[in-house]
Amino acid sequence: DIQMTQSPSSLSASVGDRVTITCRASQSISSYLNWYQQKPGKAPKLLIYAASSLQSGVPSRFSGSGSGTDFTLTISSLQPEDFATYYCQQSYSTLPITFGQGTRLEIK
Amino acid sequence: EVQLVESGGVVVQPGGSLRLSCAASGFTFDDYAMHWVRQAPGKGLEWVSLISWDGGSTYYADSVKGRFTISRDNSKNSLYLQMNSLRAEDTALYYCAKDMGDSSGYYFDYWGQGTLVTVSS
């Protein structure tokens, strides 16, 4: 199985900050990497697919980059509604589909 | 508008069985693969199972293989998960999720709100 490791596990930041979350795969997954946002009591929401493509309707302050084993999700200027938990997920050809353990983004 | 509505989650005893359902609307259901993803209380996301658009191919996480069966009825726009030999560690919120259906592998562009399965005596 492909293991996905996110860092940090939790993060405190302020409105307006630039934030970066990292996801590392245990083997190369090319650009088959997706990012989700989950708010408490809600279903996950797709933010970024194929490492850097912004899902329709997602604000442009969210961006993704990386390929191979190392990926990043960046929020350019944190808004109050961005405080949530973020998950990466690999969609490389090998099943099972696997997620990172999550990064909880909290208000400082 | 795409909608996925799960149902069937209840409290069940260890060793028991349960069938979850997911009613889909707002898209051409039989064009897309579908998934079940679960989330134990306070924990992260775990992919459970995948079914192809026509039901001809199914895949499972090792943790549920041999105990769970995914199926679909395209005439009813519905997805199912038959869960047998339930264990305490199966306790989770179960999400139905639509596959994006593009060339970037399996990932999820729409999710339901989930149905809670609790396995407890």
Side-chain angles (χ1 to χ4, degrees):
Chain A
D1 298 2
I2 300 174
Q3 308 302 318
M4 307 301 295
T5 304
Q6 290 181 231
S7 61
S9 294
S10 63
L11 173 61
S12 294
S14 301
V15 172
D17 284 354
R18 179 182 180 88
V19 167
T20 297
I21 298 170
T22 297
C23 179
R24 175 165 288 176
S26 60
Q27 67 181 72
S28 177
I29 57 171
S30 185
S31 296
Y32 293 90
L33 191 283
N34 314 293
W35 290 97
Y36 301 87
Q37 175 194 66
Q38 187 179 33
K39 296 181 180 180
K42 299 295 185 181
K45 172 187 174 183
L46 178 66
L47 297 176
I48 302 284
Y49 63 94
S52 60
S53 295
L54 194 67
Q55 173 67 345
S56 176
V58 174
S60 59
R61 62 181 180 274
F62 291 92
S63 64
S65 64
S67 65
T69 60
D70 294 316
F71 302 86
T72 58
L73 172 70
T74 300
I75 309 171
S76 60
S77 178
L78 269 175
Q79 299 302 301
E81 60 268 28
D82 300 337
F83 292 94
T85 300
Y86 293 84
Y87 294 93
C88 63
Q89 174 245 324
Q90 63 83 14
S91 53
Y92 196 57
S93 60
T94 304
L95 291 173
I97 295 163
T98 48
F99 292 89
Q101 80 279 15
T103 295
R104 185 176 178 181
L105 178 54
E106 301 174 318
I107 301 173
K108 184 182 286 185
Chain B
E1 177 192 8
V2 172
Q3 285 198 317
L4 299 169
V5 179
E6 303 95 335
S7 61
V10 291
V11 178
V12 61
Q13 292 189 338
S17 296
L18 198 56
R19 189 196 200 202
L20 306 183
S21 299
C22 172
S25 61
F27 66 102
T28 305
F29 184 68
D30 55 10
D31 276 352
Y32 295 93
M34 295 293 293
H35 303 260
W36 289 98
V37 178
R38 69 184 180 183
Q39 187 169 35
K43 303 298 184 181
L45 301 168
E46 180 188 15
W47 172 78
V48 173
S49 185
L50 154 67
I51 188 166
S52 60
W53 64 275
D54 62 352
S57 298
T58 58
Y59 304 91
Y60 300 92
D62 285 346
S63 58
V64 306
K65 199 173 295 182
R67 301 187 299 121
F68 289 11
T69 302
I70 191 171
S71 62
R72 65 192 295 163
D73 185 338
N74 286 344
S75 69
K76 295 182 178 179
N77 287 355
S78 293
L79 176 71
Y80 305 102
L81 187 67
Q82 178 66 41
M83 310 165 69
N84 298 332
S85 303
L86 283 161
R87 306 166 179 167
E89 54 265 36
D90 296 317
T91 294
L93 188 63
Y94 283 75
Y95 292 105
C96 163
K98 173 186 169 291
D99 192 83
M100 184 70 160
D102 69 6
S103 59
S104 297
Y106 294 119
Y107 63 104
F108 323 103
D109 59 347
Y110 289 95
W111 300 63
Q113 286 306 299
T115 187
L116 182 63
V117 174
T118 303
V119 184
S120 173
S121 55

